[in-house]
Amino acid sequence: GNSVTQMEGPVTLSEEAFLTINCTYTATGYPSLFWYVQYPGEGLQLLLKATKADDKGSNKGFEATYRKETTSFHLEKGSVQVSDSAVYFCALSDRRQAGTALIFGKGTTLSVSS
Amino acid sequence: KAGVTQTPRYLIKTRGQQVTLSCSPISGHRSVSWYQQTPGQGLQFLFEYFSETQRNKGNFPGRFSGRQFSNSRSEMNVSTLELGDSALYLCASSLDSSNQPQHFGDGTRLSIL
């Protein structure tokens, strides 16, 4: 079945450091891929998405490229801020199926200090 | 544009009771999905409704059920509550199709005593 694997956290960085959060997926079809972010006490917010191979999603300085050959969708940011501290979830949805069910990774907690 | 609204934000119930959670999607969105979030299992898909019909279902027991109304608002019901049902229940809406991102509400925190 479909699944998503994320690197275990927590990830602790200093402000302005480079961020990478690894995400790999298993899917029999051609999924759409997403990164969501969750701040304390809130629901999930879509950070970026990619719907086909080699697509690059980007938003607020974050980027991720859909790599079909390595089945990966790693999240990167060149210079993190304290306000980026949150839990990040990688997710996929199977486009072969009707509907929009998302399969999530376990989440990676990012803590950025000034 | 108003976001996804979930009510109530917090609930405390005891074992054996039942509970109903409500979700109002973004205006114009016809798909509503429900997820359970726990520290141990993470985010798990419960079910999805589209045009008042259940379109997808996750791997949860029959105690978990839902419905969608003609205005796309959705409710989920959990009967015979167990301690393990304590979780954050998230609702998400989208226009349609798996290419469209889902927009999440802030969730209902359910605690079972």
Side-chain angles (χ1 to χ4, degrees), chain A residues 18-36:
Chain A
F18 184 85
L19 168 71
T20 300
I21 300 178
N22 290 337
C23 170
T24 57
Y25 66 89
T26 300
T28 51
Y30 300 94
S32 295
L33 301 174
F34 305 88
W35 276 100
Y36 282 86

Side-chain angles (χ1 to χ4, degrees), chain B residues 61-107:
Chain B
R63 299 186 297 108
F64 292 81
S65 63
R67 59 177 176 169
Q68 187 180 33
F69 302 95
S70 58
N71 62 358
S72 293
R73 190 177 71 84
S74 176
E75 290 181 346
M76 69 164 280
N77 184 77
V78 188
S79 62
T80 321
L81 286 165
E82 301 177 358
L83 292 177
D85 297 333
S86 293
L88 179 67
Y89 290 88
L90 292 166
C91 168
S93 75
S94 67
L95 286 168
D96 191 10
S97 90
S98 59
N99 286 346
Q100 295 296 323
Q102 295 186 38
H103 299 266
F104 285 79
D106 286 339

Side-chain angles (χ1 to χ4, degrees), chain A residues 13-21 59-64 75-81 84 110:
Chain A
L13 296 172
S14 298
E15 208 165 23
E16 299 183 5
F18 184 85
L19 168 71
T20 300
I21 300 178
N59 185 29
K60 300 180 182 178
F62 291 91
E63 292 182 341
L75 182 68
E76 296 182 337
K77 186 175 185 183
S79 176
V80 294
Q81 306 300 312
D84 294 326
L110 171 64

Side-chain angles (χ1 to χ4, degrees), chain A residues 3-5 22-27 31 33 53-55 64-74 90:
Chain A
S3 66
V4 175
T5 303
N22 290 337
C23 170
T24 57
Y25 66 89
T26 300
L33 301 174
D54 300 325
D55 266 2
T65 301
Y66 189 143
R67 300 286 188 201
K68 185 169 177 288
E69 63 276 14
T70 55
T71 61
S72 65
F73 193 55
H74 305 320
C90 184

Side-chain angles (χ1 to χ4, degrees), chain A residues 32 38 93 95 98 100 102, chain B residues 35 37 48 56 98-99 102:
Chain A
S32 295
Q38 186 175 34
S93 90
R95 290 185 292 163
T100 57
L102 286 170
Chain B
Y35 295 84
Q37 185 177 24
E48 180 205 3
N56 275 315
S98 59
N99 286 346
Q102 295 186 38

